Amino acid sequence: MKVVWNADNGRYADNPRALHEAWTARGGDGVDHLWLASSRQAATFPPGVATVPIGTPQAVAALEAADVLVSNTHIQLDRWRKRPGAVYLQTWHGTPLKRIHRDAAFQPPDDVMAELDDDIARWDLLVTPSAEGTRLLRAAFAYRGRVLETGYPRNDVLSAPDRAARRARVRAELGLAEGTTAVLYAPTYRDDEAAPGVDAPLGLDVGALARRLGDDAVVLLRLHHYMGHQSRPAGGGRVQDVGAYPDISDLYLAADVLVTDYSSSMFDFAVTGKPILVFAYDLAHYRDRLRGFTLDLEAEAPGPVLLDQEALTAALLDLPAVAAAQAGRYARFVQRFCALEDGRASERVLEALWAEGLPPG
C-alpha cells in the first residue's frame, strides 16, 4: 500500500505529521510512506522519511499511484488525477476564524478557485476538530462528503501524559529559566502582505514589548510560514525568533500565554487552558475589507481583544487578573470548539481509515 503525505505544500508538519507518526509507531509491513517536500523544507524532514520534490512530475506520479492521500491543504499539481479506489483524507489546518475559500472577502482569480474546487471534489474524508468546525468547514467549501469529527491529531500532544516533561524539555532547549514567563506571539498572515517583495512590517514592536515586560519574560516570535519575507527584529535576549522550530505544538506547551490575532492557533492553544490575548491592531481592515470572521471576535474570543500595543502590554503585566476576568468566555470557547481534544484524535482518524478496508500496519 502506498501513502502520500502533504502538509502546507511541502513541510513536515501539522495534522499529517501527527498522523504519520501515530501510523508508523504501530509498525507493520507492506506500507510505503512518501512525503511531498519543498526544496526549502527538504532538509527538515526526519532521517528515514522518504520524500519527493513537490511540483515535479515525480510528485504527480506519486499522487496518481497512491492508495491513500493525506493532506492539510489543497493539492494543486497540474490537475492530477486520483486513482480509482484511492482514499483522499483531508485534515485541513485549523478551525477557521477568518473566512476562507468562497466565504472570504479576498478572492483569488477564477481559474485558481476552479482548481481549488476540483481538489475539494476529490476529498473522500474531511477531518474536523468539533461540531462547530464541521459546520464552518462544510459551509466554506460547500463540501457534502463524509466527515470525521474527531478533534485534530496535531493537538494530541497537548493532552498527552508526557506533556509536562515535553514542556520542560522544550523550555530547556529554548534556554527559558525557571520562573520565566514565555509569551508566544503567533500572528496569521495578511493576504495583501503575503506576496514576496511586499513590505510587511510586524504589527507589534516585540522588542519594546519585551523591554516593558522585564527580565522575567521572553517573547517567542512565531511568524506564519507564508511570511518568510517579513521583517524580523534581531534575535537573542528577551526576544527569540522560533519560526524554524519544527512543531508549534511544542511551543504551545512551552509558552505561558499566547498572543495572536486572527489565527486558528487560538483554537489549538485553548486546549492547554493557558491565557490567550488577541492583538487586533488592524481589526477593521481585516474584518471589513480583507477576510471577515466566522464569529463575533470581540464577543466570543477566549480572551480580550486589544487594539493597540499599550493595551496589550498592560494586559500582560496584569495577566492573572485578566485571565480570571476572562474565565467564563474562555470556558464557553473551549466547550464550543475544543470538547473533542482529549489526546486521542489520531487514534480515531486511523481507526476510521482501517474501517475503509485499508490494512492497519
Side-chain angles (χ1 to χ4, degrees):
M1 182 171 67
K2 300 180 185 300
V3 186
V4 174
W5 302 83
N6 176 56
D8 303 328
N9 295 313
R11 299 170 69 232
Y12 186 69
D14 206 75
N15 290 314
R17 172 180 174 165
L19 285 171
H20 176 255
E21 292 175 349
W23 190 330
T24 55
R26 295 188 176 205
D29 299 322
V31 181
D32 294 325
H33 298 276
L34 184 65
W35 278 79
L36 305 185
S38 73
S39 58
R40 293 179 61 185
Q41 294 291 323
T44 67
F45 282 72
V49 172
T51 63
V52 62
I54 195 169
T56 63
Q58 295 91 333
V60 173
L63 290 168
E64 295 186 339
D67 299 293
V68 180
L69 303 148
V70 183
S71 182
N72 77 335
T73 190
H74 301 287
I75 300 177
Q76 299 169 258
L77 292 178
D78 298 330
R79 297 187 181 273
W80 61 278
R81 297 182 179 181
K82 187 177 69 170
R83 186 181 63 77
V87 175
Y88 186 168
L89 176 71
Q90 175 59 247
T91 72
W92 204 241
H93 50 266
T95 301
L97 167 61
K98 53 182 177 281
R99 293 192 178 277
I100 58 175
H101 200 56
R102 294 195 181 275
D103 280 352
F106 183 94
Q107 293 284 308
D110 289 344
D111 59 333
V112 175
M113 289 299 292
E115 189 175 7
L116 300 179
D117 286 335
D118 286 346
D119 186 70
I120 293 167
R122 300 185 186 103
W123 300 353
D124 297 293
L125 297 166
L126 172 64
V127 175
T128 69
S130 62
E132 190 70 359
T134 298
R135 182 184 70 81
L136 295 172
L137 291 168
R138 279 199 183 279
F141 296 125
Y143 176 72
R144 300 293 177 261
R146 295 169 57 197
V147 163
L148 301 180
E149 201 170 280
T150 57
Y152 269 153
R154 69 186 186 189
N155 290 335
D156 285 349
V157 297
L158 304 180
S159 302
D162 68 343
R163 60 188 179 276
R166 186 184 292 252
R167 169 181 163 87
R169 174 181 61 77
V170 176
R171 287 177 65 92
E173 289 175 0
L174 296 174
L176 300 176
E178 186 71 25
T180 298
T181 297
V183 180
L184 177 61
Y185 180 44
T188 191
Y189 68 97
R190 275 76 174 149
D191 300 86
D192 52 358
E193 296 179 351
V198 174
D199 183 26
L202 274 179
L204 175 65
D205 186 337
V206 292
L209 176 65
R211 289 191 293 273
R212 286 286 304 278
L213 297 181
D215 292 342
D216 293 332
V218 170
V219 178
L220 305 176
L221 176 61
R222 177 77 170 201
L223 298 184
H224 193 280
H225 63 271
Y226 282 2
M227 301 303 293
H229 62 288
Q230 191 166 24
S231 56
R232 290 167 162 82
R238 295 196 297 275
V239 176
Q240 291 193 36
D241 184 348
V242 292
Y245 200 87
D247 192 343
I248 194 172
S249 297
D250 283 345
L251 299 177
Y252 294 155
L253 290 172
D256 298 293
V257 56
L258 173 69
V259 176
T260 188
D261 45 18
Y262 322 118
S263 169
S264 64
S265 61
M266 73 172 64
F267 298 92
D268 303 321
F269 195 83
V271 178
T272 71
K274 292 180 286 192
I276 298 170
L277 305 180
V278 180
F279 180 52
Y281 63 90
D282 58 350
L283 177 63
H285 173 67
Y286 199 97
R287 179 191 59 208
D288 301 333
R289 291 184 290 279
L290 195 59
R291 276 294 186 115
F293 300 136
T294 61
L295 52 80
D296 184 339
L297 184 66
E298 292 173 285
E300 299 176 272
V305 176
L306 307 163
L307 303 183
D308 59 66
Q309 182 152 339
E310 186 59 36
L312 172 64
T313 304
L316 286 167
L317 289 171
D318 195 23
L319 192 58
V322 170
Q326 300 292 318
R329 63 191 285 168
Y330 197 117
R332 291 189 293 274
F333 186 90
V334 168
Q335 181 59 37
R336 182 179 178 186
F337 293 106
C338 308
L340 296 177
E341 305 287 11
D342 61 357
R344 299 181 57 196
S346 295
E347 177 184 337
R348 288 190 285 268
V349 173
L350 292 177
E351 290 299 330
L353 280 178
W354 312 153
E356 295 296 304
L358 303 172

